[in-house]
Amino acid sequence: MPSLDTSSLVFLVFSLLFSVEARRLVESDQTEQPLLFQYHNGPLLSGKISVNLIWYGKFKPSQRAIVSDFVASVASSKPTTAQPSVATWWKATQKYYQLSKKPSSLALSLGLGSQILDENYSLGKSLTTQQIVELASKGAQKNAINVVLTSADVAVDGFCSSRCGTHGSASGSRSSSSGHSKFAYIWVGNSETQCPGQCAWPFHQPIYGPQNPPLVAPNNDVGLDGMVINLASLLAGTVTNPFGNGYYQGPKEAPLEAASACPGIYGKGAYPGYAGDLPVDATTGASYNAHGVNGRKYLLPALFDPSTSTCATLA
């Protein structure tokens, strides 16, 4: 399983610049070799999985709704949902299950689970990686992904300097029949005041590279819309590489996964510093590429298509 810091470093880069390998996917030079994605024969998450949200610090109810609506949108099959939808984006992960040729891995159903509020900063405002795992352990540990979301005034080891979020697994409570089981978790920080140029791009000016004007955030919240991008990327990486032996490219210690293999790509024509050609809301001027439940709009990263070795975008 990849270490937390190094795997998250790769994830940070996706918000800023194309990696050499990912750039090969979008360059027109046909002599470039496609990115080789490999399946390492480990388990993928399957069955009914609840996504539990653990809110650490101060979040407004309207901010929590942005994220909870996104998670609900992933599993939404409502025919009234405008296209392209978040659910359509998520269906791209099914190709990984089909290629794995493991019958037990063919059925994955995500749903919004419980939400836990820790508004009193029970572990303080400066968290270690182990404390993130401790917070993640507060959620149900069976058939679940526990997502820790830290508010803008919470510092986390490596946040901004080397990562915007991470995913991993940890030992759960002891079961008399199976001993310690593992559960998957995700952490994402709100970068609005600490490092929006790193972790909330393209809704903020990047601190490096081309200085194109930032896009208007679809939910009018740079920090939370940035968190959705990072959560979406990590969610795709979690289900396709939950324990470090699923689908990834490159070294196990710093893998490129389903979304981090396509850094900075949101629409067709993307290049370093430019998110791509995207729809713009006529009323708000916000850029987006996916419709969600409750009339939401989101900007979601491209996902690597293992069947074509390309980065697939909704727009």
Side-chain angles (χ1 to χ4, degrees):
M1 176 181 167
S3 65
L4 294 173
D5 291 338
T6 53
S7 65
S8 299
L9 177 59
V10 174
F11 177 69
L12 169 63
V13 175
F14 103 88
S15 294
L16 303 175
L17 299 171
F18 285 81
S19 67
V20 173
E21 291 293 338
R23 189 176 299 162
R24 292 177 181 173
L25 299 173
V26 295
E27 289 180 343
S28 58
D29 186 353
Q30 297 302 312
T31 63
E32 293 282 2
Q33 296 299 312
L35 185 65
L36 179 61
F37 233 69
Q38 294 180 330
Y39 177 47
H40 297 80
N41 210 39
L44 311 182
L45 292 189
S46 59
K48 292 185 177 181
I49 302 292
S50 295
V51 180
N52 302 311
L53 304 179
I54 301 159
W55 300 92
Y56 188 82
K58 303 293 186 182
F59 288 92
K60 298 175 183 177
S62 59
Q63 292 181 313
R64 296 198 299 267
I66 292 171
V67 175
S68 61
D69 281 351
F70 164 70
V71 175
S73 300
V74 167
S76 175
S77 58
K78 296 180 180 179
T80 55
T81 302
Q83 294 296 327
S85 68
V86 175
T88 300
W89 170 82
W90 183 251
K91 284 181 180 178
T93 61
Q94 292 179 358
K95 293 186 178 181
Y96 290 83
Y97 287 77
Q98 294 164 355
L99 290 174
S100 73
K101 297 180 180 179
K102 290 188 174 182
S104 62
S105 298
L106 295 180
L108 170 68
S109 176
L110 290 186
L112 178 62
S114 63
Q115 299 193 52
I116 300 172
L117 304 184
D118 188 339
E119 297 179 305
N120 296 321
Y121 308 89
S122 63
L123 299 179
K125 292 188 176 182
S126 182
L127 303 178
T128 65
T129 295
Q130 186 54 44
Q131 287 175 314
I132 291 294
V133 176
E134 181 180 341
L135 289 171
S137 301
K138 292 185 177 183
Q141 297 172 11
K142 184 177 181 181
N143 299 325
I145 300 171
N146 293 334
V147 181
V148 177
L149 303 118
T150 51
S151 58
D153 57 347
V154 175
V156 178
D157 279 355
F159 189 29
C160 296
S161 64
S162 64
R163 57 182 180 171
C164 304
T166 192
H167 80 85
S169 63
S171 296
S173 302
R174 179 176 293 276
S175 166
S176 58
S177 60
S178 59
H180 284 297
S181 60
K182 285 186 176 181
F183 69 93
Y185 71 88
I186 292 172
W187 160 70
V188 180
N190 184 345
S191 65
E192 181 180 13
T193 56
Q194 296 187 50
C195 54
Q198 290 170 279
C199 297
W201 184 86
F203 303 129
H204 191 278
Q205 288 288 129
I207 60 172
Y208 304 117
Q211 297 295 303
N212 290 321
L215 304 181
V216 177
N219 294 286
N220 197 35
D221 191 313
V222 170
L224 269 293
D225 279 297
M227 290 182 85
V228 168
I229 288 177
N230 299 335
L231 174 57
S233 297
L234 291 167
L235 196 59
T238 296
V239 301
T240 57
N241 187 32
F243 307 117
N245 54 4
Y247 281 97
Y248 64 87
Q249 187 271 344
K252 183 177 182 179
E253 295 74 21
L256 292 177
E257 298 176 330
S260 59
C262 300
I265 304 175
Y266 299 92
K268 289 181 173 60
Y271 54 82
Y274 177 62
D277 301 328
L278 298 166
V280 176
D281 186 283
T283 301
T284 65
S287 297
Y288 67 98
N289 60 7
H291 295 268
V293 300
N294 297 325
R296 296 280 185 188
K297 293 177 180 177
Y298 296 101
L299 183 65
L300 303 178
L303 293 180
F304 183 79
D305 186 333
S307 64
T308 61
S309 295
T310 60
C311 289
T313 61
L314 287 173

